[in-house]
């Protein structure tokens, strides 16, 4: 049985692919099967970037037609994913979409803030496991920039 189909959507450079990778790695660390498949245009930065994440069960095909949870980080991505959102899809919007006062956290870690919201909503993995996967993936950046490490840790609280 598939536990969860999660779609992350944003623009290149917002960290959508990193967040998806961290989520899938966390599921794997907790003994769950996980698949992540990126979907983006030819642009490396600025184009719409999607990541399809499936956690749990037997994964026959890594993409899906309808998300159970969708995290949308920008307005352009919202338009692109409209066909993948169903009436039961739980949608999480990032600070760039909501128009709410921006987070006190730097934009560079908003993807981790969104990842925390996904974990809070789904309980699919533990925040501690997310942090473990994040530290493993970004160990060299964290070693070089303690402020980046601190900001990412704050985003997960």
């Amino acid at each position: 049985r598939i536990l969860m189909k999660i779609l992350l959507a944003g623009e290149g450079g917002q960290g959508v692919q990193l967040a998806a990778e961290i989520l899938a790695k966390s599921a794997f660390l907790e003994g769950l099967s996980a698949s992540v498949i990126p979907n983006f245009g030819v642009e490396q930065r600025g184009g719409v970037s999607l990541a399809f994440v499936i956690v749990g069960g037997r994964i026959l095909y890594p993409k899906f037609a309808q998300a159970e949870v969708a995290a949308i980080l920008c307005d352009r991505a919202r338009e692109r994913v409209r066909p993948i959102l169903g009436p039961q899809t739980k949608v999480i919007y990032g600070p760039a979409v909501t128009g709410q006062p921006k987070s006190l956290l730097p934009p560079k870690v908003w993807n981790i803030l969104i990842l925390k919201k996904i974990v809070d909503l789904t309980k699919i993995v533990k925040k501690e496991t997310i942090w473990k996967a994040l530290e493993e993936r970004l160990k060299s950046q964290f070693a070089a920039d303690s402020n980046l490490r601190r900001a990412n840790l704050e985003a997960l609280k």
Side-chain angles (χ1 to χ4, degrees), residues 8-18 38-51 72-78 80 96 107-108 111:
L8 289 95
E11 291 178 334
Q14 288 186 310
V16 167
Q17 301 306 323
L18 175 66
N39 184 295
F40 44 84
V42 294
E43 311 93 341
Q44 286 187 359
R45 295 212 176 260
V48 173
S49 177
L50 307 178
I72 302 173
L73 280 73
C74 71
D75 285 322
R76 282 180 43 200
R78 181 173 22 188
R80 174 91 179 272
K108 196 170 188 176
N111 62 331

Side-chain angles (χ1 to χ4, degrees), residues 31-107:
L32 300 168
S33 59
S35 170
V36 60
I37 184 121
N39 184 295
F40 44 84
V42 294
E43 311 93 341
Q44 286 187 359
R45 295 212 176 260
V48 173
S49 177
L50 307 178
F52 294 82
V53 180
I54 301 177
V55 175
R58 188 168 170 227
I59 301 168
L60 300 175
Y61 187 71
K63 280 180 104 174
F64 44 82
Q66 193 165 90
E68 292 174 82
V69 175
I72 302 173
L73 280 73
C74 71
D75 285 322
R76 282 180 43 200
R78 181 173 22 188
E79 294 307 313
R80 174 91 179 272
V81 301
R82 193 175 304 275
I84 305 168
L85 306 180
Q88 304 301 319
T89 304
K90 296 176 179 93
V91 180
I92 299 167
Y93 293 109
V97 178
T98 62
Q100 298 295 319
K102 302 294 187 225
S103 166
L104 297 176
L105 297 168

Side-chain angles (χ1 to χ4, degrees), residues 13-15 18 105-112 141 145 148 152:
Q14 288 186 310
L18 175 66
L105 297 168
K108 196 170 188 176
V109 298
W110 285 354
N111 62 331
I112 305 306
Q141 288 97 324
D145 186 349
L148 178 63
N152 275 278

